[in-house]
Amino acid sequence: MKIPKTCKLEKVVSKDESREALLSILIESKDGQANAVATDGRRMAIVPVELSDDDEIDGQKLMAPKALIEARKQAKRADKSTIGLNGAAMMPDGQVYPWKKDVNYPRWQSCVPDTIGTHYQTISFNAKYLYELAQAIGCPNDCVQLQIETKPATGGIDPERPFIIEEKTTGGKGVLMPMRP
């Protein structure tokens, strides 16, 4: 299996020991599409992965997050990390991370909105800037409200306009400018 080195799914794996399945990264191949999935129950990351002819995926496999971290270290200058999927997650240097067995991963597909046939807009902004702006206005719990200006005629979001964030307890407000293509 090959996965881009920039993808760090371990960042959203649950830390809650009582949610055993969510302590792992799911590797799943279904309908010709292979994905790596991680969630902590509040956020979820889904990354397409490339399977090689030697990889053996029959249904769901749960991989330790440490395997992904180690594969990234071993990839050095390559743009993708490689993990062999033959009965376990196997690193290029021979390290083996066994699959987690007897644990079922939740049906993650039911949490992903079906956008087929619906209209949506894509707006890009720098997530680091949003986080830093939230800190600057005193957000106590990493929760911000986004106010996004809409076009009066259509009700659609105007991607050219800034986002306004507001923190109710401090009264702080921030303005986040949209990214230019």
Side-chain angles (χ1 to χ4, degrees), residues 3-4 6-14 24-26 35-39 45-47 49 65 68 72:
I3 185 168
T6 55
C7 297
K8 298 181 179 180
L9 283 98
E10 69 275 6
K11 300 282 188 186
V12 297
V13 169
S14 180
S24 301
I25 296 170
L26 170 70
N35 292 300
V37 180
T39 184
I46 306 155
V47 177
V49 296
L68 189 58
R72 218 174 16 255

Side-chain angles (χ1 to χ4, degrees), residues 31-176:
D31 301 326
Q33 175 64 48
N35 292 300
V37 180
T39 184
D40 61 4
R42 295 200 175 271
R43 56 199 173 155
M44 178 170 36
I46 306 155
V47 177
V49 296
E50 296 174 30
L51 296 179
S52 74
D53 293 338
D54 296 332
D55 290 334
E56 298 173 7
I57 295 286
D58 53 340
Q60 297 186 346
K61 299 293 183 191
L62 298 180
M63 179 175 68
K66 185 155 176 52
L68 189 58
I69 296 166
E70 188 59 35
R72 218 174 16 255
K73 287 179 188 174
Q74 292 184 26
K76 298 191 178 162
R77 295 180 188 218
D79 62 340
K80 294 188 178 177
S81 303
T82 302
I83 301 172
L85 303 177
N86 301 337
M90 296 187 286
M91 301 300 113
D93 72 351
Q95 289 185 60
V96 176
Y97 294 87
W99 298 125
K100 191 171 275 191
K101 298 184 187 233
D102 301 325
V103 178
N104 291 322
Y105 206 80
R107 290 186 25 204
W108 63 272
Q109 297 91 336
S110 64
C111 298
V112 179
D114 181 14
T115 57
I116 297 171
T118 62
H119 299 282
Y120 63 93
Q121 289 181 269
T122 300
I123 298 175
S124 299
F125 61 91
N126 186 313
K128 180 180 176 189
Y129 289 171
L130 177 61
Y131 175 74
E132 290 171 349
L133 190 55
Q135 288 181 316
I137 64 172
C139 291
N141 58 4
D142 296 334
C143 179
V144 296
Q145 290 184 343
L146 282 177
Q147 297 173 9
I148 304 170
E149 190 172 330
T150 58
K151 296 177 183 177
T154 64
I157 294 172
D158 186 349
E160 303 291 319
R161 302 294 300 154
F163 298 112
I164 307 297
I165 66 170
E166 185 175 2
E167 208 299 302
K168 296 291 186 190
T169 59
T170 66
K173 288 188 180 197
V175 178
L176 183 66

